[in-house]
Amino acid sequence: AEIDLVLSLCRSPMSDRSRLRASDILASPLDWRNVFEHARAFEVEPAFHGNLRSLDDARVPAEFLAESATRERNSVAMAAAGCLRAADTIRRFEEQKIPVIVLKGAAVAASAYDDPSLRTFGDLDLLVPRGSVVHARDFLLECGYTRNYEGESERELVAGNHALEFIRNDSLIELHVALVERYLRFELDERPLWDEAISLSIPGGRIRGLDRARLFLFLCAHGTKHEWGRVRWIVDLAQLTDRLTAEEAGDVEKLANDANAKRILSLGVALVRNLWGDPTTASNLKKIPGDVAAEALAHRIIRSHGLSGASVEKSDAKHAVDPEIRSFLFWISSRERWLDRAACIAAVLFSPTEANTPPRPLRRITRPVRLAARLAGQLSAGLRDGSRR
Protein backbone atom coordinates (compact mmCIF):
# COMPACT_ATOMS: atom_id res chain seq x y z
CA ALA A 1 0.00 0.00 0.00
CA GLU A 2 2.86 2.40 0.80
CA ILE A 3 4.44 1.86 -2.63
CA ASP A 4 1.07 2.18 -4.37
CA LEU A 5 0.47 5.51 -2.65
CA VAL A 6 3.83 6.87 -3.81
CA LEU A 7 3.21 5.70 -7.39
CA SER A 8 -0.24 7.32 -7.33
CA LEU A 9 1.12 10.68 -6.20
CA CYS A 10 4.47 10.95 -7.99
CA ARG A 11 3.29 12.49 -11.25
CA SER A 12 2.40 16.07 -12.11
CA PRO A 13 -0.25 17.15 -12.65
CA MET A 14 -2.06 14.51 -10.62
CA SER A 15 -4.86 12.90 -12.61
CA ASP A 16 -8.34 12.31 -11.27
CA ARG A 17 -7.67 8.59 -11.52
CA SER A 18 -4.57 8.93 -9.33
CA ARG A 19 -6.43 11.10 -6.85
CA LEU A 20 -9.17 8.48 -6.47
CA ARG A 21 -6.59 5.71 -6.16
CA ALA A 22 -4.75 7.63 -3.43
CA SER A 23 -8.00 8.22 -1.58
CA ASP A 24 -8.75 4.49 -1.62
CA ILE A 25 -5.26 3.67 -0.33
CA LEU A 26 -5.60 6.14 2.55
CA ALA A 27 -8.43 3.97 3.87
CA SER A 28 -5.81 1.28 4.63
CA PRO A 29 -3.44 1.30 7.60
CA LEU A 30 -0.15 2.83 6.42
CA ASP A 31 3.39 2.99 7.73
CA TRP A 32 3.99 6.68 6.98
CA ARG A 33 7.69 6.49 7.67
CA ASN A 34 7.86 3.78 5.03
CA VAL A 35 5.82 5.93 2.63
CA PHE A 36 8.27 8.83 2.96
CA GLU A 37 11.25 6.51 2.60
CA HIS A 38 9.89 5.14 -0.69
CA ALA A 39 9.29 8.67 -1.99
CA ARG A 40 12.90 9.50 -1.17
CA ALA A 41 14.29 6.26 -2.64
CA PHE A 42 12.26 6.69 -5.84
CA GLU A 43 13.53 10.30 -6.11
CA VAL A 44 10.05 11.75 -6.56
CA GLU A 45 9.77 13.88 -3.42
CA PRO A 46 8.88 17.27 -4.99
CA ALA A 47 5.81 16.00 -6.87
CA PHE A 48 4.83 13.42 -4.26
CA HIS A 49 4.75 15.75 -1.28
CA GLY A 50 3.02 18.49 -3.23
CA ASN A 51 0.32 16.07 -4.36
CA LEU A 52 -0.04 14.53 -0.89
CA ARG A 53 -0.70 17.90 0.70
CA SER A 54 -3.08 18.91 -2.09
CA LEU A 55 -5.32 15.96 -1.17
CA ASP A 56 -6.18 17.84 2.01
CA ASP A 57 -7.20 14.53 3.56
CA ALA A 58 -7.66 14.31 7.33
CA ARG A 59 -6.48 10.69 7.25
CA VAL A 60 -2.91 11.90 6.76
CA PRO A 61 -1.51 12.29 10.31
CA ALA A 62 -0.81 15.92 11.19
CA GLU A 63 2.83 15.32 12.11
CA PHE A 64 3.54 13.65 8.78
CA LEU A 65 1.67 16.38 6.91
CA ALA A 66 3.97 18.93 8.54
CA GLU A 67 7.03 16.86 7.69
CA SER A 68 5.74 16.52 4.13
CA ALA A 69 5.63 20.31 3.78
CA THR A 70 9.25 20.56 4.93
CA ARG A 71 10.38 17.80 2.58
CA GLU A 72 8.58 19.45 -0.33
CA ARG A 73 10.26 22.81 0.33
CA ASN A 74 13.70 21.23 0.61
CA SER A 75 13.37 19.07 -2.51
CA VAL A 76 11.91 21.89 -4.62
CA ALA A 77 14.72 24.18 -3.48
CA MET A 78 17.27 21.51 -4.40
CA ALA A 79 15.73 21.09 -7.85
CA ALA A 80 15.62 24.85 -8.44
CA ALA A 81 19.25 25.19 -7.33
CA GLY A 82 20.23 22.47 -9.80
CA CYS A 83 18.49 24.39 -12.59
CA LEU A 84 20.27 27.62 -11.63
CA ARG A 85 23.66 25.86 -11.73
CA ALA A 86 22.81 24.28 -15.07
CA ALA A 87 21.68 27.60 -16.58
CA ASP A 88 24.86 29.32 -15.40
CA THR A 89 27.06 26.54 -16.82
CA ILE A 90 25.29 26.65 -20.18
CA ARG A 91 25.64 30.44 -20.30
CA ARG A 92 29.39 30.09 -19.77
CA PHE A 93 29.64 27.52 -22.55
CA GLU A 94 27.72 29.81 -24.89
CA GLU A 95 30.11 32.66 -24.07
CA GLN A 96 32.88 30.37 -25.26
CA LYS A 97 30.95 29.70 -28.48
CA ILE A 98 30.64 26.00 -27.61
CA PRO A 99 27.28 24.54 -28.78
CA VAL A 100 25.63 22.49 -26.05
CA ILE A 101 22.55 20.29 -25.72
CA VAL A 102 21.58 19.30 -22.19
CA LEU A 103 20.78 15.60 -21.82
CA LYS A 104 18.58 14.35 -18.95
CA GLY A 105 18.55 16.44 -15.75
CA ALA A 106 17.39 19.99 -16.37
CA ALA A 107 16.20 19.17 -19.91
CA VAL A 108 13.96 16.34 -18.68
CA ALA A 109 12.66 18.59 -15.89
CA ALA A 110 11.68 21.26 -18.42
CA SER A 111 10.29 18.93 -21.11
CA ALA A 112 8.42 16.41 -18.97
CA TYR A 113 7.23 18.37 -15.93
CA ASP A 114 4.97 21.39 -15.66
CA ASP A 115 7.49 22.97 -13.30
CA PRO A 116 11.23 22.18 -13.64
CA SER A 117 11.57 22.43 -9.85
CA LEU A 118 9.52 19.23 -9.55
CA ARG A 119 12.42 17.08 -10.75
CA THR A 120 15.67 16.93 -8.78
CA PHE A 121 18.99 16.05 -10.43
CA GLY A 122 22.69 16.14 -9.67
CA ASP A 123 25.11 15.53 -12.54
CA LEU A 124 25.10 17.64 -15.68
CA ASP A 125 25.25 15.68 -18.96
CA LEU A 126 26.16 17.82 -21.96
CA LEU A 127 26.18 16.85 -25.62
CA VAL A 128 28.77 18.80 -27.60
CA PRO A 129 29.81 18.48 -31.26
CA ARG A 130 32.70 16.09 -31.72
CA GLY A 131 34.81 18.92 -33.11
CA SER A 132 34.22 21.03 -29.98
CA VAL A 133 35.09 18.44 -27.35
CA VAL A 134 38.71 19.61 -26.95
CA HIS A 135 37.60 23.21 -26.52
CA ALA A 136 34.96 22.13 -24.01
CA ARG A 137 37.49 20.01 -22.11
CA ASP A 138 40.01 22.86 -21.89
CA PHE A 139 37.31 25.26 -20.74
CA LEU A 140 36.24 22.95 -17.91
CA LEU A 141 39.86 22.52 -16.83
CA GLU A 142 40.25 26.32 -16.80
CA CYS A 143 37.13 26.52 -14.60
CA GLY A 144 38.77 24.32 -11.97
CA TYR A 145 37.37 20.94 -12.95
CA THR A 146 39.64 17.92 -13.00
CA ARG A 147 39.49 14.85 -15.25
CA ASN A 148 37.85 11.77 -13.81
CA TYR A 149 39.65 9.61 -16.39
CA GLU A 150 43.19 8.98 -17.54
CA GLY A 151 44.31 11.68 -19.95
CA GLU A 152 46.06 9.23 -22.29
CA SER A 153 42.81 7.31 -22.80
CA GLU A 154 40.86 10.38 -23.96
CA ARG A 155 41.19 9.71 -27.68
CA GLU A 156 39.97 6.12 -27.26
CA LEU A 157 37.06 7.25 -25.09
CA VAL A 158 35.89 9.86 -27.57
CA ALA A 159 36.31 7.46 -30.50
CA GLY A 160 34.07 4.97 -28.66
CA ASN A 161 31.49 7.67 -27.82
CA HIS A 162 32.20 7.32 -24.10
CA ALA A 163 31.52 10.34 -21.88
CA LEU A 164 34.38 12.39 -20.46
CA GLU A 165 33.80 13.04 -16.75
CA PHE A 166 34.98 16.15 -14.93
CA ILE A 167 34.72 16.86 -11.20
CA ARG A 168 34.92 20.02 -9.12
CA ASN A 169 34.05 19.68 -5.44
CA ASP A 170 30.65 17.97 -5.50
CA SER A 171 29.87 18.96 -9.10
CA LEU A 172 30.12 16.38 -11.89
CA ILE A 173 29.89 17.27 -15.58
CA GLU A 174 29.93 14.67 -18.36
CA LEU A 175 30.79 15.64 -21.92
CA HIS A 176 29.13 13.46 -24.57
CA VAL A 177 29.71 13.39 -28.31
CA ALA A 178 26.86 10.90 -28.87
CA LEU A 179 23.80 9.68 -27.00
CA VAL A 180 25.23 6.26 -26.11
CA GLU A 181 28.50 4.41 -26.52
CA ARG A 182 29.38 3.15 -29.99
CA TYR A 183 29.53 -0.55 -29.03
CA LEU A 184 25.83 -0.53 -28.05
CA ARG A 185 24.81 0.07 -31.68
CA PHE A 186 22.05 2.56 -30.90
CA GLU A 187 22.46 5.29 -33.46
CA LEU A 188 20.34 8.34 -34.24
CA ASP A 189 21.41 10.63 -37.06
CA GLU A 190 23.70 13.24 -35.53
CA ARG A 191 22.75 16.26 -37.62
CA PRO A 192 19.01 16.17 -36.79
CA LEU A 193 19.87 16.01 -33.07
CA TRP A 194 21.17 19.55 -33.43
CA ASP A 195 18.78 20.78 -36.11
CA GLU A 196 15.69 19.68 -34.14
CA ALA A 197 16.97 20.70 -30.68
CA ILE A 198 14.53 22.93 -28.80
CA SER A 199 14.91 25.88 -26.44
CA LEU A 200 13.72 25.22 -22.89
CA SER A 201 13.09 27.62 -20.01
CA ILE A 202 14.40 26.73 -16.56
CA PRO A 203 15.02 28.85 -13.45
CA GLY A 204 18.03 31.01 -14.28
CA GLY A 205 17.76 31.08 -18.04
CA ARG A 206 17.26 28.98 -21.15
CA ILE A 207 18.94 25.79 -22.32
CA ARG A 208 18.80 23.60 -25.42
CA GLY A 209 17.44 20.10 -25.17
CA LEU A 210 16.52 17.24 -27.46
CA ASP A 211 13.15 17.51 -29.15
CA ARG A 212 10.54 15.46 -27.30
CA ALA A 213 10.44 12.56 -29.76
CA ARG A 214 14.21 12.01 -29.61
CA LEU A 215 14.24 12.63 -25.86
CA PHE A 216 11.59 9.95 -25.39
CA LEU A 217 13.55 7.30 -27.30
CA PHE A 218 16.79 8.38 -25.65
CA LEU A 219 15.23 7.96 -22.19
CA CYS A 220 14.09 4.46 -23.21
CA ALA A 221 17.64 3.61 -24.33
CA HIS A 222 19.32 5.17 -21.30
CA GLY A 223 17.02 3.35 -18.89
CA THR A 224 17.54 0.05 -20.69
CA LYS A 225 21.30 0.52 -20.74
CA HIS A 226 21.22 0.70 -16.93
CA GLU A 227 18.53 -1.99 -16.39
CA TRP A 228 16.08 0.76 -15.42
CA GLY A 229 17.87 0.88 -12.09
CA ARG A 230 16.06 3.99 -10.81
CA VAL A 231 12.29 4.28 -10.47
CA ARG A 232 12.50 7.98 -11.30
CA TRP A 233 13.56 7.11 -14.85
CA ILE A 234 10.25 5.30 -15.34
CA VAL A 235 8.39 8.27 -13.85
CA ASP A 236 10.22 10.60 -16.25
CA LEU A 237 9.08 8.49 -19.19
CA ALA A 238 5.49 8.49 -17.91
CA GLN A 239 5.62 12.26 -17.54
CA LEU A 240 6.89 12.69 -21.08
CA THR A 241 4.35 10.22 -22.44
CA ASP A 242 1.49 12.48 -21.40
CA ARG A 243 3.08 15.46 -23.15
CA LEU A 244 3.72 13.89 -26.56
CA THR A 245 1.46 14.99 -29.35
CA ALA A 246 0.15 12.36 -31.75
CA GLU A 247 2.65 13.63 -34.34
CA GLU A 248 5.55 13.36 -31.87
CA ALA A 249 4.44 9.87 -30.87
CA GLY A 250 4.55 8.88 -34.53
CA ASP A 251 8.03 10.36 -34.78
CA VAL A 252 9.14 8.26 -31.80
CA GLU A 253 8.00 5.08 -33.51
CA LYS A 254 9.75 6.05 -36.76
CA LEU A 255 12.98 6.83 -34.91
CA ALA A 256 12.80 3.45 -33.16
CA ASN A 257 12.28 1.67 -36.48
CA ASP A 258 15.23 3.48 -38.06
CA ALA A 259 17.49 2.69 -35.08
CA ASN A 260 16.34 -0.95 -34.90
CA ALA A 261 15.26 -0.20 -31.33
CA LYS A 262 11.60 -1.20 -31.42
CA ARG A 263 11.97 -3.54 -28.44
CA ILE A 264 13.72 -0.83 -26.43
CA LEU A 265 10.76 1.47 -27.13
CA SER A 266 8.25 -1.29 -26.36
CA LEU A 267 9.99 -1.94 -23.04
CA GLY A 268 9.71 1.70 -21.99
CA VAL A 269 6.03 1.87 -22.95
CA ALA A 270 5.37 -1.48 -21.20
CA LEU A 271 6.83 -0.15 -17.95
CA VAL A 272 4.53 2.88 -18.04
CA ARG A 273 1.49 0.80 -18.94
CA ASN A 274 2.12 -1.76 -16.21
CA LEU A 275 2.50 0.85 -13.48
CA TRP A 276 -0.10 3.44 -14.50
CA GLY A 277 -2.24 1.91 -17.24
CA ASP A 278 -2.42 3.02 -20.86
CA PRO A 279 -1.20 6.54 -21.60
CA THR A 280 -4.01 9.04 -21.41
CA THR A 281 -2.71 10.91 -24.47
CA ALA A 282 -0.30 10.21 -27.32
CA SER A 283 -2.69 7.87 -29.11
CA ASN A 284 0.04 6.57 -31.40
CA LEU A 285 1.91 5.13 -28.42
CA LYS A 286 -1.18 3.13 -27.55
CA LYS A 287 -0.91 1.49 -30.96
CA ILE A 288 2.65 0.26 -30.49
CA PRO A 289 2.33 -3.53 -30.78
CA GLY A 290 3.12 -5.56 -27.72
CA ASP A 291 6.40 -7.43 -27.62
CA VAL A 292 6.50 -10.61 -25.55
CA ALA A 293 10.19 -10.20 -24.76
CA ALA A 294 9.69 -6.53 -23.81
CA GLU A 295 6.80 -7.45 -21.49
CA ALA A 296 8.94 -10.08 -19.79
CA LEU A 297 11.76 -7.57 -19.32
CA ALA A 298 9.29 -4.99 -17.96
CA HIS A 299 7.94 -7.43 -15.36
CA ARG A 300 11.50 -8.30 -14.40
CA ILE A 301 12.28 -4.61 -13.77
CA ILE A 302 9.06 -4.07 -11.83
CA ARG A 303 9.83 -7.07 -9.60
CA SER A 304 13.40 -5.93 -9.07
CA HIS A 305 12.10 -2.68 -7.54
CA GLY A 306 9.43 -4.45 -5.49
CA LEU A 307 6.69 -2.59 -7.37
CA SER A 308 4.58 -5.65 -8.13
CA GLY A 309 3.43 -6.40 -4.60
CA ALA A 310 6.00 -9.19 -4.38
CA SER A 311 9.28 -9.01 -2.54
CA VAL A 312 12.29 -7.68 -4.38
CA GLU A 313 13.53 -10.27 -6.85
CA LYS A 314 16.85 -11.82 -5.91
CA SER A 315 19.02 -14.53 -7.38
CA ASP A 316 22.27 -15.11 -5.60
CA ALA A 317 24.16 -16.29 -8.67
CA LYS A 318 22.72 -13.57 -10.88
CA HIS A 319 23.44 -10.76 -8.46
CA ALA A 320 26.98 -12.02 -7.86
CA VAL A 321 27.79 -11.10 -11.46
CA ASP A 322 29.48 -7.76 -12.03
CA PRO A 323 26.74 -5.10 -12.44
CA GLU A 324 28.30 -3.89 -15.69
CA ILE A 325 28.18 -7.38 -17.19
CA ARG A 326 24.62 -7.87 -15.93
CA SER A 327 23.49 -4.56 -17.45
CA PHE A 328 25.15 -5.44 -20.74
CA LEU A 329 23.36 -8.79 -20.88
CA PHE A 330 20.10 -6.98 -20.19
CA TRP A 331 20.83 -4.60 -23.07
CA ILE A 332 21.54 -7.53 -25.37
CA SER A 333 18.16 -9.07 -24.50
CA SER A 334 16.47 -5.77 -25.41
CA ARG A 335 17.67 -5.83 -29.01
CA GLU A 336 15.36 -7.48 -31.54
CA ARG A 337 18.01 -8.12 -34.21
CA TRP A 338 20.54 -10.90 -33.83
CA LEU A 339 22.94 -8.79 -35.88
CA ASP A 340 22.96 -6.07 -33.22
CA ARG A 341 23.33 -8.61 -30.43
CA ALA A 342 26.29 -10.29 -32.11
CA ALA A 343 27.97 -6.98 -32.96
CA CYS A 344 27.58 -5.72 -29.37
CA ILE A 345 29.05 -8.92 -27.96
CA ALA A 346 31.95 -8.86 -30.41
CA ALA A 347 32.71 -5.24 -29.55
CA VAL A 348 32.82 -6.00 -25.83
CA LEU A 349 34.85 -9.18 -26.22
CA PHE A 350 37.56 -7.72 -28.40
CA SER A 351 37.59 -3.99 -27.60
CA PRO A 352 39.93 -2.89 -24.80
CA THR A 353 38.47 -0.89 -21.95
CA GLU A 354 39.90 2.34 -20.55
CA ALA A 355 42.06 0.22 -18.22
CA ASN A 356 43.63 -1.45 -21.26
CA THR A 357 44.53 1.69 -23.20
CA PRO A 358 46.65 2.33 -25.06
CA PRO A 359 45.54 -0.88 -26.85
CA ARG A 360 47.84 -3.86 -26.66
CA PRO A 361 47.28 -6.57 -29.33
CA LEU A 362 47.87 -9.44 -26.92
CA ARG A 363 45.39 -8.11 -24.36
CA ARG A 364 42.82 -7.63 -27.12
CA ILE A 365 43.20 -11.26 -28.19
CA THR A 366 43.07 -12.67 -24.65
CA ARG A 367 40.23 -10.40 -23.49
CA PRO A 368 37.42 -12.97 -24.18
CA VAL A 369 39.24 -15.56 -22.05
CA ARG A 370 39.76 -13.10 -19.21
CA LEU A 371 36.12 -11.99 -19.26
CA ALA A 372 34.87 -15.59 -19.31
CA ALA A 373 37.10 -16.49 -16.37
CA ARG A 374 35.91 -13.44 -14.45
CA LEU A 375 32.25 -14.25 -15.07
CA ALA A 376 32.71 -17.92 -14.15
CA GLY A 377 34.45 -16.92 -10.93
CA GLN A 378 31.64 -14.53 -9.97
CA LEU A 379 28.93 -17.11 -10.69
CA SER A 380 30.80 -19.78 -8.73
CA ALA A 381 31.22 -17.47 -5.74
CA GLY A 382 27.54 -16.56 -5.86
CA LEU A 383 26.46 -20.20 -5.90
CA ARG A 384 28.76 -21.03 -2.98
CA ASP A 385 27.38 -18.15 -0.92
CA GLY A 386 23.81 -19.19 -1.75
CA SER A 387 24.43 -22.81 -0.69
CA ARG A 388 25.89 -21.67 2.65
CA ARG A 389 22.79 -19.60 3.37
Side-chain angles (χ1 to χ4, degrees):
E2 288 81 5
I3 290 177
D4 283 346
L5 183 63
V6 174
L7 292 178
S8 296
L9 299 179
C10 68
R11 295 173 62 184
S12 177
M14 180 171 49
S15 67
D16 291 339
R17 178 179 176 181
S18 292
R19 185 180 294 273
L20 290 173
R21 175 62 180 149
S23 181
D24 289 342
I25 296 171
L26 288 175
S28 307
L30 293 169
D31 180 341
W32 282 97
R33 184 58 56 204
N34 198 15
V35 170
F36 283 12
E37 176 57 27
H38 281 304
R40 184 202 63 77
F42 295 170
E43 303 173 277
V44 295
E45 287 191 294
F48 169 78
H49 288 295
N51 287 335
L52 178 65
R53 296 195 311 111
S54 74
L55 292 176
D56 195 23
D57 196 306
R59 292 172 294 183
V60 181
E63 64 270 28
F64 285 102
L65 200 58
E67 181 179 342
S68 179
T70 300
R71 286 176 177 258
E72 181 189 8
R73 284 195 301 271
N74 291 343
S75 58
V76 166
M78 184 182 300
C83 287
L84 291 172
R85 288 195 301 271
D88 181 64
T89 300
I90 299 309
R91 178 181 58 79
R92 292 171 181 267
F93 269 84
E94 290 174 346
E95 289 173 352
Q96 294 292 315
K97 309 299 182 186
I98 302 173
V100 173
I101 290 177
V102 178
L103 303 175
K104 301 178 291 184
V108 174
S111 290
Y113 293 77
D114 289 340
D115 180 350
S117 66
L118 292 180
R119 205 271 192 188
T120 58
F121 61 93
D123 306 345
L124 191 56
D125 292 80
L126 305 178
L127 180 69
V128 298
R130 199 174 296 270
S132 300
V133 70
V134 172
H135 187 185
R137 174 206 66 198
D138 291 343
F139 174 62
L140 287 175
L141 295 177
E142 290 173 7
C143 290
Y145 284 86
T146 58
R147 291 182 178 94
N148 194 29
Y149 61 93
E150 296 297 330
E152 58 267 25
S153 67
E154 183 174 288
R155 180 175 295 181
E156 297 292 331
L157 291 173
V158 173
N161 294 344
H162 295 275
L164 302 181
E165 294 186 355
F166 297 84
I167 297 178
R168 187 181 68 184
N169 299 325
D170 59 348
S171 175
L172 174 65
I173 292 180
E174 294 187 6
L175 294 182
H176 299 258
V177 295
L179 297 184
V180 298
E181 292 81 354
R182 189 181 300 277
Y183 75 92
L184 294 177
R185 290 179 62 88
F186 174 86
E187 299 176 1
L188 297 181
D189 289 342
E190 186 172 314
R191 189 66 261 164
L193 289 179
W194 293 92
D195 292 343
E196 303 296 329
I198 59 177
S199 177
L200 300 166
S201 177
I202 61 173
R206 301 192 71 83
I207 61 174
R208 293 177 75 194
L210 296 174
D211 65 279
R212 285 191 292 199
R214 287 177 175 79
L215 178 60
F216 191 95
L217 187 57
F218 168 61
L219 292 182
C220 289
H222 177 262
T224 301
K225 171 188 166 184
H226 296 289
E227 287 187 274
W228 290 94
R230 297 163 74 173
V231 175
R232 182 175 65 183
W233 293 340
I234 309 175
V235 178
D236 288 341
L237 197 66
Q239 287 284 133
L240 194 58
T241 296
D242 283 341
R243 283 152 182 78
L244 289 177
T245 65
E247 181 180 359
E248 289 170 335
D251 290 341
V252 173
E253 190 168 6
K254 183 178 185 305
L255 287 168
N257 286 334
D258 292 345
N260 298 303
K262 292 181 287 186
R263 182 170 294 166
I264 290 174
L265 173 58
S266 294
L267 171 56
V269 174
L271 286 168
V272 174
R273 283 175 175 160
N274 277 279
L275 293 179
W276 294 283
D278 276 328
T280 56
T281 59
S283 58
N284 282 15
L285 284 182
K286 292 183 181 180
K287 298 175 183 176
I288 291 178
D291 182 295
V292 175
E295 282 291 335
L297 292 173
H299 284 291
R300 173 174 155 188
I301 293 303
I302 289 169
R303 288 195 304 272
S304 74
H305 288 297
L307 304 179
S308 61
S311 59
V312 176
E313 179 187 65
K314 288 208 175 192
S315 170
D316 292 329
K318 170 187 163 187
H319 285 267
V321 177
D322 186 300
E324 290 187 6
I325 295 177
R326 205 171 63 236
S327 294
F328 177 68
L329 294 176
F330 184 87
W331 174 267
I332 291 296
S333 65
S334 75
R335 305 309 301 269
E336 63 263 22
R337 295 200 314 172
W338 281 102
L339 172 62
D340 292 321
R341 296 183 187 185
C344 287
I345 292 171
V348 168
L349 287 178
F350 294 101
S351 296
T353 62
E354 180 181 346
N356 293 326
T357 53
R360 302 185 182 97
L362 182 59
R363 290 190 66 79
R364 183 187 294 270
I365 295 170
T366 61
R367 180 169 165 79
V369 177
R370 289 183 284 113
L371 286 176
R374 175 180 163 193
L375 179 60
Q378 291 172 348
L379 287 172
S380 177
L383 288 172
R384 287 197 302 271
D385 290 344
S387 64
R388 285 196 204 94
R389 285 194 288 269

